[in-house]
Amino acid sequence: MIKTRITEMFGVETPLIMGGMTGVGYAPLVAAVANAGALGFITAHHSPTAEALWEEIKRCKDLTDKPFGINLTLLPSLNPIPYDEYRHAIIESGIKIVETAGRNPTDHLPAFKEAGVKVIHKCTSVRHAVTAAKHGVDVISIDGFECAGHPGEDDVGLVVLLPATVDAVDIPVIASGGMADGRSLAAALALGAEGVNMGTRFMATQECAIHENVKKKIVENTERDTLLTNRTLRNTSRVARNAVSEEVVRIQQDPTKTIEDVRHLVAGVRGRTNVMGKGDTDDGIWTVGQSQGLIHDIPTVAEMVRNIMGQAEQVLERSARRLQAA
């Protein structure tokens, strides 16, 4: 058994975390993650209202009696997002773990602190991690440049970013970006992390409710099969390499182009409907990390967690034997 400050803080069996993911973080998968001894997060903005989020929480509680959390990604939106109502539903439902991303959660922290809710904040730079820690978050999840979705604009890989963050803050740090197997966990622990966050790896599991074609594509792809879109807009996103993302990158090579020139291509509803729903992996933008190069199967969540923990323990034991031999 591998015990860390994360397993102790959240009462979970393993230091493996499935953070919130759009189109992925629904109750059945989160419950499977919890039942396997890891920590999963329901994605709040899947729910149009606080009442709907409450029902999703209840659905998850009906499937597991183990800890799980809620992801709140705090972003500006043309259509107002009911963040205050979400927060109230989280607190009233008894959830004690929240993962925030986007802007700093300063306006939500007092209520969460008063209710005994622990907050993990996702960052992509040391400076943002330091600021979040000063504001009172409990844990930093640091995203290296390898990650799916938004890796920030600094282009720093996790092997540098992780220990730099650990050195800069006193609270526990979770490694995110490029994590997909037991070697990843062992390496992250060696660099000072208390746990690892995996997104792409959890997508390629039997319980994940995305189209089977997407899971098979993740297995088929290599670490080279991602692209970075929206670089010129300073809103970089790592997505799967396909016909649509290649077209977006081609258009955005012209620095005069704006989001309006690619809006029809990058629309989230297109990716969710055509890719995640219908399984046409070439007809929409979908996020995936470079860690897909380490993914070679589509196991159950329980099998995946068991395999990762077994491999990590073997790697750590082998390293300890090397030290003894020296």
Side-chain angles (χ1 to χ4, degrees):
M1 295 290 287
I2 296 174
K3 295 294 184 182
T4 71
R5 286 195 285 172
I6 290 298
T7 61
E8 297 298 321
M9 180 180 291
F10 298 127
V12 292
E13 299 166 33
T14 73
L16 303 181
I17 296 163
M18 185 198 81
M21 289 183 280
T22 300
V24 175
Y26 293 100
L29 176 58
V30 173
V33 171
N35 287 331
L39 178 61
F41 287 85
I42 290 171
T43 303
H45 68 242
H46 287 163
S47 301
T49 65
E51 291 75 17
L53 176 58
W54 190 294
E55 287 301 315
E56 190 71 3
I57 292 170
K58 182 179 182 301
R59 186 159 72 120
C60 197
K61 286 185 174 182
D62 287 341
L63 297 171
T64 184
D65 58 359
K66 296 185 177 182
F68 64 91
I70 307 297
N71 168 273
L72 285 178
T73 298
L74 305 169
L75 297 172
S77 174
L78 293 176
N79 299 314
I81 299 173
Y83 287 121
D84 291 343
E85 290 83 357
Y86 283 159
R87 185 186 67 239
H88 180 74
I90 291 167
I91 292 172
E92 291 300 309
S93 69
I95 292 292
K96 295 299 181 183
I97 313 166
V98 167
E99 176 192 63
T100 58
R103 64 174 174 80
N104 210 296
T106 48
D107 48 339
H108 298 282
L109 286 175
F112 282 142
K113 291 286 186 183
E114 184 178 353
V117 176
K118 300 290 187 183
V119 176
I120 302 170
H121 187 60
K122 297 185 73 174
C123 301
T124 59
S125 70
V126 175
R127 63 188 184 279
H128 292 152
V130 169
T131 299
K134 287 181 179 178
H135 283 305
V137 304
D138 300 283
V139 178
I140 294 295
S141 180
I142 194 72
D143 273 356
F145 190 54
E146 306 90 336
C147 73
H150 298 286
E153 306 303 321
D154 294 340
D155 299 4
V156 181
L158 192 65
V159 73
V160 171
L161 187 59
L162 172 56
T165 304
V166 170
D167 288 346
V169 301
D170 293 327
I171 57 179
V173 177
I174 294 166
S176 182
M179 302 287 102
D181 60 18
R183 295 169 299 179
S184 305
L185 173 57
L189 294 174
L191 291 171
E194 302 287 341
V196 299
N197 176 62
M198 300 184 298
T200 304
R201 174 65 273 194
F202 278 107
M203 290 172 67
T205 58
Q206 292 182 24
E207 292 90 341
C208 184
I210 60 176
H211 200 283
E212 199 69 17
N213 288 353
V214 179
K215 302 177 189 181
K216 291 178 180 177
K217 191 66 175 176
I218 291 171
V219 172
E220 174 187 323
N221 282 350
T222 74
E223 71 282 358
R224 298 179 65 247
D225 291 313
T226 70
L227 287 176
L228 297 169
T229 62
N230 297 336
R231 296 288 270 172
T232 56
L233 305 178
R234 293 196 61 77
N235 187 30
T236 300
S237 184
R238 186 178 297 282
V239 302
R241 180 189 294 272
N242 64 11
V244 175
S245 62
E246 287 178 345
E247 176 68 3
V248 171
V249 170
R250 186 193 66 77
I251 292 170
Q252 291 183 329
Q253 288 177 345
D254 181 349
T256 67
K257 298 297 184 181
T258 70
I259 189 63
E260 295 305 321
D261 295 293
V262 296
R263 186 180 296 278
H264 63 294
L265 297 171
V266 302
V269 65
R270 177 172 177 173
R272 289 191 297 274
T273 300
N274 296 350
V275 179
M276 300 299 183
K278 297 179 181 179
D280 187 344
T281 60
D282 224 28
D283 193 25
I285 292 288
W286 54 287
T287 60
V288 69
Q290 290 180 327
S291 64
Q292 65 183 345
L294 303 173
I295 297 171
H296 309 298
D297 59 356
I298 307 171
T300 66
V301 169
E303 290 169 341
M304 188 203 78
V305 169
R306 184 167 58 251
N307 291 342
I308 288 175
M309 294 308 299
Q311 186 184 38
E313 289 171 4
Q314 289 175 3
V315 170
L316 293 171
E317 289 170 357
R318 185 166 63 245
S319 297
R321 288 197 297 271
R322 287 171 177 165
L323 183 61
Q324 291 169 359

